[in-house]
Structure formats: C-alpha cells, structure tokens
Amino acid sequence: MKKVFILGGTGFLGYYTSHELLARGYKVAEISLPPTPADNLFPAEVESHLGDLQTYTDEQILQLLDGVYAFIYAAGADERVCPEAPATTFFYQANVIPTQRIARLARQAGVKKFVLFNSYFSHFAEQWTDLHLNKEQAYPRTRLLQEEVAMFEGGKDMDVMSLRLPYIFGVMPGRTPLWTMFTEQVRGKDTVYVPQGGTAMVTARQVAEAAVGAIELGQHEGRYAICDTNMKYLDFYQYMVEALGQTETTKLIPAPIEAFKPAFAEHDEHARQAGKEHGIHLAVTADIQGRDAYLDPNDTMPILKINKDDVIASIKETLQVCVNAKL
C-alpha cells in the first residue's frame, strides 16, 4: 500500500484529498496547523499530526517522510491576503521558500511524486501577457516561481506536478466556506453591480480526483489548469441572490470594468498609505473580472481522469452554508 503525505490535510482541499486517497486504497498521513476544525475528520487509520512543518528541522521532516511515495502540498497564502508592502516579499516567503525546502527534503527522503496545489492565476499570467501579471503582480508572479522551484528540486528523481486551481466549491465539517465574504456583499442590497466577465469552476471533490490523477498519471513538470464549468459572474451572483432569498428584492446589473476601477484604485491607494499591498492590485483585479477566465475541461479532465460533477449543486450547497453561517 503506497503512502501519501499531505501538508494541510485538515484544510478544505486537504480534507477532500485525504478521503479520495483512502477510497483509492492509499495509506494517508498528514500534518496541519492546530486546532482541528472538527472531531473525527478522518478514520483512525489516518496518521495525523498537528504542528507547523516549517518549524521542524530537516531531520524531523525526513523522518516524517520516511516510506512516503507521494507528497501533496495543500498549504500556503492566497491572494485574499493583503500583507505589508512589498507583497512580493510576503508571498515569496509564504509560498516559494517553504515549497522549495519541502520539495528538496521530499526528494531526499525518496518521495517519487510531488503535487502542488497552485492557482489558475499562474495560467492566466502566461496567457494574458498584456496585464503583466507575471512581472508586476506579486501573487501570480510568486505562484509561477513556486512551481518552478518545486520542479527544479524534483530533478530526475521526483516527478513534480502543479494543479492550477480555479473557483472551488464544497463544504466540510468545522469550516465556513470562503464564499461567505461574497454573500455578505449581496445580503440586503437592492442593487448589485456585477463584473461582466466570468470564471472557471470545479468542486472540491474534483480537486481531490485531480490530485490522485496527478500522482498516478501526471508527467513531471506538468502544469494542469483544471476546470469543469465556466460561468459568468452574473450567473454566479444570481445563485447568491437565490440563496439569500432576495430574488424579488435585489437587482443584478452587469457593469463594465470602468464602473469598478476608480473605487478599486482608491482601495489600492488606501492600502499603499497603510504600508500594505495586495497580491494582485485591485485595479488589476477589475481588469481580470472584466474578462472570461475560462478553461477548457478537455485539456485536463481526460488526462487526470477527473469525473464530471454537479458544480451547480455544489455552488448552491456551498452558498446556503455561507448564508446560514451569518444568520
């Protein structure tokens, strides 16, 4: 029985991946920051550790990874964080340096497969060159570097694959979905202006399938931007309105990026004056949300054997949990 070690096993994606691995017959070990979000997240056979892996010595990590076949890196900081400026330093220290160290130690420990949970902003940083995301925006710039250093550390002895993840839906015990911040922007509003663009979406179950697929079928240095469904923000916001019971009282109005940019730029300036910087400047976020950040499911689903899922049902379930969490 092959053993897989997950960094961030009690997190949203780590939780789903752990259960998918168990269902596929793998032995699972994981480490997560305390506290555990809920009791009995995993069956007794899962080897669970509470702690910050970054505080472990190299020798302690090598001991943890003894006999491990595959490692899944399901941790790190995302673009919602607005750190002290410069943001590049923060994301480099939060995502790049730890990934490089863990990948190096994993290879030394004899790990054969390393799967990194990354962001679809890496994909669009490569595709939308006019926005200069790979040069001027800290979050996508360092996400690309995170992939590179992990793949360099893998060398010829350890296959390293990156999953470039879009919007993800699903629920788990003990954690409130991050989409609560969206529903609260709509709650009680008569009129909500919505960006004209759209985004790719998957379920957490599909992320878990993709992780196992990367272990079993992925190629070294593979960068897999996964997707099941592409959706306009207007449709997504309509599901929020429905979850809030505001279909008769809230009007959604598609608006061009010019309607958002001045306010977003003002927020960027406030952050600058406070000594902070967004990983993607909000004015640039307006540009992004004016576009269709769509992906082709056929580019990755057949390769990683990701099953079709009911994304709409997952969206509705997720949003209902968000709404109820604030009642």
Side-chain angles (χ1 to χ4, degrees), residues 15 54 75 178 220:
Y15 168 79
Q54 305 308 325
L178 63 87
H220 179 48

Side-chain angles (χ1 to χ4, degrees), residues 243-292:
L244 288 161
Q246 297 175 191
T247 53
E248 300 298 322
T249 58
T250 299
K251 183 178 182 180
L252 301 176
I253 301 177
I257 58 173
E258 290 77 17
F260 298 97
K261 258 194 150 177
F264 281 19
E266 186 176 344
H267 285 302
D268 284 331
E269 177 59 21
H270 288 162
R272 189 192 66 79
Q273 292 178 7
K276 296 180 178 293
E277 182 184 15
H278 291 279
I280 302 176
H281 293 171
L282 295 184
V284 177
T285 297
D287 289 320
I288 293 171
Q289 292 180 346
R291 303 184 180 195
D292 290 331

Side-chain angles (χ1 to χ4, degrees), residues 302-321:
I303 296 172
L304 300 181
K305 304 300 182 186
I306 304 169
N307 292 309
K308 183 71 178 174
D309 204 358
D310 192 339
V311 174
I312 303 302
S314 186
I315 289 172
K316 291 181 177 181
E317 179 188 28
T318 304
L319 294 177
Q320 197 58 59
V321 171

Side-chain angles (χ1 to χ4, degrees), residues 1-233:
M1 182 183 293
K2 292 178 179 177
K3 184 177 181 179
V4 180
F5 193 99
I6 304 175
L7 174 59
T10 65
F12 177 49
L13 299 180
Y15 168 79
Y16 274 87
T17 304
S18 298
H19 284 277
E20 182 67 23
L21 287 163
L22 292 171
R24 302 268 196 111
Y26 287 90
K27 185 177 180 181
V28 176
E30 66 87 23
I31 188 168
S32 304
L33 296 174
T36 301
D39 295 332
N40 303 316
L41 278 177
F42 305 120
E45 61 264 29
V46 174
E47 177 189 321
S48 290
H49 305 268
L50 287 178
D52 183 355
L53 196 62
Q54 305 308 325
T55 67
Y56 283 39
T57 66
D58 287 2
E59 291 71 22
Q60 288 173 316
I61 293 174
L62 289 170
Q63 185 176 2
L64 272 180
L65 299 184
D66 183 42
V68 169
Y69 172 71
F71 188 100
I72 295 178
Y73 198 104
D78 65 27
E79 77 279 6
R80 290 171 295 157
V81 179
C82 184
E84 298 291 325
T88 303
T89 299
F90 170 82
F91 286 107
Y92 179 73
Q93 293 174 344
N95 291 338
V96 180
I97 293 176
T99 301
Q100 185 170 24
R101 179 184 180 227
I102 298 303
R104 171 176 57 83
L105 293 172
R107 175 176 49 79
Q108 290 179 12
V111 173
K112 296 303 179 185
K113 307 285 183 177
F114 189 100
V115 179
L116 173 66
F117 284 2
N118 199 266
S119 167
Y120 79 157
F121 283 117
S122 294
H123 173 82
F124 291 109
E126 295 172 340
Q127 298 296 313
W128 295 342
T129 56
D130 60 307
L131 293 182
H132 308 291
L133 299 176
N134 62 333
K135 297 293 185 182
E136 299 175 1
Q137 302 302 315
Y139 182 70
R141 182 182 179 188
T142 52
R143 278 298 206 178
L144 286 166
L145 183 57
Q146 183 187 31
E147 291 180 331
E148 288 292 309
V149 299
M151 290 169 184
F152 290 158
E153 291 293 346
K156 62 181 178 60
D157 299 317
M158 182 176 74
D159 293 335
V160 179
M161 288 72 62
S162 175
L163 299 182
R164 294 174 165 183
L165 306 177
Y167 280 28
I168 306 166
F169 297 92
V171 298
M172 67 168 286
R175 294 195 185 278
T176 301
L178 63 87
W179 303 110
T180 303
M181 61 187 291
F182 285 76
T183 56
E184 291 309 295
Q185 293 172 2
V186 178
R187 188 188 296 271
K189 299 288 180 63
D190 295 328
T191 303
V192 177
Y193 293 94
V194 181
Q196 291 181 326
T199 185
M201 299 176 169
V202 293
T203 67
R205 185 180 299 109
Q206 289 175 309
V207 174
E209 291 175 350
V212 180
I215 291 171
E216 297 178 348
L217 303 165
Q219 299 295 312
H220 179 48
E221 298 193 0
R223 297 163 172 84
Y224 302 101
I226 70 170
C227 170
D228 177 302
T229 300
N230 292 304
M231 183 182 295
K232 286 288 190 180
Y233 290 116

